[in-house]
Amino acid sequence: MPSALITGITGQDGLYLAELLLAKGYDVHGLVRGQNNPKRDLVTDLVPDVQLHFGDLTDMSSLIRALRESDPDEVYNLGAVSFVAYSWENAHLTTDVTATGVLNLLEAVRLHVGSDVDRVRFYQASSSEMFGKVQETPQHEGTLLWPRSPYGVAKVYGHHMTINYRESYGMHASSGILFNHESPRRGPEFVTRKISQAVARISLGLQDHVLLGNLDARRDWGFAGDYVEAMWLMLQQPQADDYVVATGETHSIRDFLDLAFAHVGIEDWTPLVRQDERFMRPAEVDVLLGDAGKARDVLGWKPRVSFPELVAMMVEADLEATRQGW
Ligand code: NDP
Ligand code: GDR
C-alpha cells in the first residue's frame, strides 16, 4: 500500500487530496499544527481514515518526527499562510511558514531518506501569485516571476528551493504552479466563498449587502477537486518537473458576481455590493491566465468543472448550509 504525508491537511486542498489518495488505496497521513486546532475535527469527520501527526512547518524536528512516524512514499507540502491580504499584515510569519517552511520540509525529507534519494517523492504547492505583475499572457512554466505580495515572494522562494533540491540532490521534487482553485470548502476569507456565502444569505433575507474590494481583478478559477488530481499525477511521473495547472479562462470578480446572483434570480446586484477600501490591496495582481498545455500533454490532465458550474456549486452549497444553519 503506498503511503503519503500531507501538510495542510486541514485546508481546502488537503481534504480533497486526502479523499483522492484514500480512494486510490493509499495509507494517508496528515500534519496538524497547534495545541487544540479546531479544524482537526473537520478532518476526522470528513476523512476518518487519515492518521494525524502533530507538527508545524516552522519546527523542523516535528517534521522529522512526522516523517519517521508515517514513513511516506510521497510528501505533499500544502501547508502555508495562504491568504495574500494577510501576508502584508504578517510578512515575517508568512516568510517563516510559506518560504522557510518549504526549506525545513525539504531538508527533513533529505535527512530522512539519507542516500536513498528515490525513497520519497515531494510535491510543492507553488502558486500563480508568483507571476504577480505578469510579464506575458498567458503565463506558463517559463514566464518571468514578478511577485506582488509577501505571500508571492515567499512562494517564489519555496518554488526555487524545490527546484534546487531536485538539481542538487537528485530528489524527485515537483512544483505545481496552481492557479486559483475554489470549492464549497474554500475559506470564507477568499473572494469567491465570501461572495457565495453572501449571495446565499442575501437571497434568504439574512443579509442586505456585501463589502468587497477591487471588482476588476481577473483570475483563472478552477475547481479544487480537479486540481488535486494534477498534484498526484506529477508524483507518478518518472522525472520530477514543474507544471502550470489552470483552466485557460480568465474572469473578473464582476463575472463571478453576475453568475452567483443570477443563480438566486437576482439580475442587478449593484445595490447589494459596496466597495470598501479595507479590502483593497497595497499592490494588486490585476489579471492571471494560465497555459496548462504542459500538464495536458505530459500528465494527461484537464479540468472537468467549468466556471459557471463552479459558481453554481458554491452558491448551492452555501444555500444548503445556510438553510440548515451550519
Ligand atoms: P488553505 O488556506 O485552505 O490551507 C492552508 C493549510 O496550511 C491549512 O491546513 C493550515 O493549517 C496549514 N498551515 C498554516 N500554517 C501552518 C504551519 N505553520 N505549519 C503547518 N501547516 C500550516 O489553503 P489551500 O488548501 O487553498 O491551499 C493549499 C496550498 O496550495 C497552500 O500552500 C496555498 O498557498 C497553495 N495554493 C493554493 C491555491 C488555491 O487557489 N487554493 C493556488 C495556488 C497555491 P490550519 O488549519 O491549522 O491553519
Ligand atoms: P488570491 O485570492 O489573492 O488570488 O489568492 P482572493 O480570493 O483572496 O482574491 C482574489 C481577487 O479578489 C479581489 N477581491 C477580494 N479578495 C478578497 N479576499 N476579499 C474581498 O473582499 C475582495 N474584493 C476583491 C482581490 O483583490 C484579488 O484580486 C488565492 C489564494 O488561494 C492563494 O493562496 C493562491 O496562491 C492564489 O489564490 C492563486
Side-chain angles (χ1 to χ4, degrees):
M1 187 194 272
S3 61
L5 174 65
I6 302 172
T7 72
I9 188 82
T10 56
Q12 171 189 254
D13 291 8
L15 291 168
Y16 281 109
L17 181 63
E19 284 172 345
L20 179 83
L21 296 180
L22 287 169
K24 288 183 184 297
Y26 277 62
D27 180 17
V28 180
H29 300 256
L31 190 80
V32 179
R33 72 181 174 124
Q35 62 184 45
N36 185 19
N37 191 324
K39 292 198 200 150
R40 187 192 161 92
D41 292 346
L42 188 69
V43 180
T44 43
D45 281 355
L46 286 171
V47 278
D49 292 335
V50 170
Q51 295 174 57
L52 296 177
H53 305 266
F54 291 106
D56 193 298
L57 284 164
T58 61
D59 181 339
M60 194 163 137
S61 58
S62 74
L63 301 176
I64 293 173
R65 196 173 54 242
L67 285 163
R68 278 202 195 126
E69 288 168 4
S70 56
D71 197 20
D73 302 305
E74 297 173 5
V75 172
Y76 294 86
N77 184 31
L78 311 186
V81 171
S82 78
F83 187 33
V84 174
Y86 177 85
S87 76
W88 276 282
E89 312 295 333
N90 293 273
H92 275 283
L93 175 68
T94 304
T95 305
D96 287 347
V97 179
T98 307
T100 314
V102 185
L103 173 60
N104 289 342
L105 187 55
L106 283 164
E107 193 57 14
V109 170
R110 190 177 76 86
L111 293 173
H112 179 69
V113 298
S115 58
D116 191 4
V117 284
D118 290 334
R119 206 168 121 209
V120 172
R121 294 184 172 196
F122 183 88
Y123 173 84
Q124 167 58 16
S126 287
S127 164
S128 53
E129 279 294 299
M130 301 190 306
F131 297 123
K133 187 175 176 187
V134 297
Q135 299 298 297
E136 63 181 315
T137 296
Q139 296 86 49
H140 55 85
E141 293 79 4
T143 298
L144 184 70
L145 304 178
W146 197 302
R148 295 270 278 172
S149 62
Y151 169 82
V153 173
K155 281 289 178 187
V156 171
Y157 176 92
H159 180 66
H160 283 299
M161 201 50 92
T162 301
I163 294 169
N164 186 258
Y165 268 62
R166 181 165 80 220
E167 294 180 351
S168 302
Y169 304 115
M171 233 161 119
H172 194 294
S174 291
S175 177
I177 307 172
L178 271 55
F179 282 60
N180 297 55
H181 45 279
E182 320 293 313
S183 73
R185 292 178 183 164
R186 187 58 142 152
E189 65 273 37
F190 300 96
V191 76
T192 54
R193 185 76 197 289
K194 187 173 170 183
I195 294 171
S196 65
Q197 275 190 337
V199 166
R201 288 178 56 81
I202 289 169
S203 82
L204 295 171
L206 298 169
Q207 187 174 324
D208 55 15
H209 67 276
V210 59
L211 298 176
L212 294 173
N214 175 15
L215 304 185
D216 297 313
R218 301 182 74 85
R219 292 289 183 273
D220 181 330
W221 278 301
F223 170 54
D226 290 345
Y227 284 41
V228 296
E229 207 176 331
M231 299 176 186
W232 175 77
L233 283 167
M234 284 178 218
L235 298 205
Q236 311 317 307
Q237 303 309 305
Q239 303 295 330
D241 208 340
D242 309 316
Y243 298 88
V244 159
V245 178
T247 68
E249 277 182 33
T250 186
H251 298 276
S252 66
I253 315 296
R254 288 177 200 280
D255 297 337
F256 197 101
L257 286 163
D258 283 343
L259 289 177
F261 275 107
H263 191 80
V264 295
I266 298 173
E267 294 307 323
D268 178 15
W269 48 260
T270 46
L272 306 171
V273 175
R274 296 186 198 152
Q275 280 184 282
D276 188 316
E277 273 301 314
R278 280 178 298 163
F279 299 108
M280 302 290 185
R281 296 182 177 181
E284 180 61 286
V285 171
D286 296 319
V287 54
L288 290 172
L289 175 64
D291 172 1
K294 182 174 167 185
R296 186 190 56 232
D297 296 346
V298 180
L299 306 178
W301 179 87
K302 61 176 187 336
R304 294 195 179 91
V305 176
S306 70
F307 180 64
E309 287 168 344
L310 174 66
V311 180
M313 179 202 300
M314 292 180 71
V315 175
E316 270 307 312
D318 277 320
L319 281 168
E320 178 65 11
T322 312
R323 283 195 198 102
Q324 302 288 337
W326 294 337

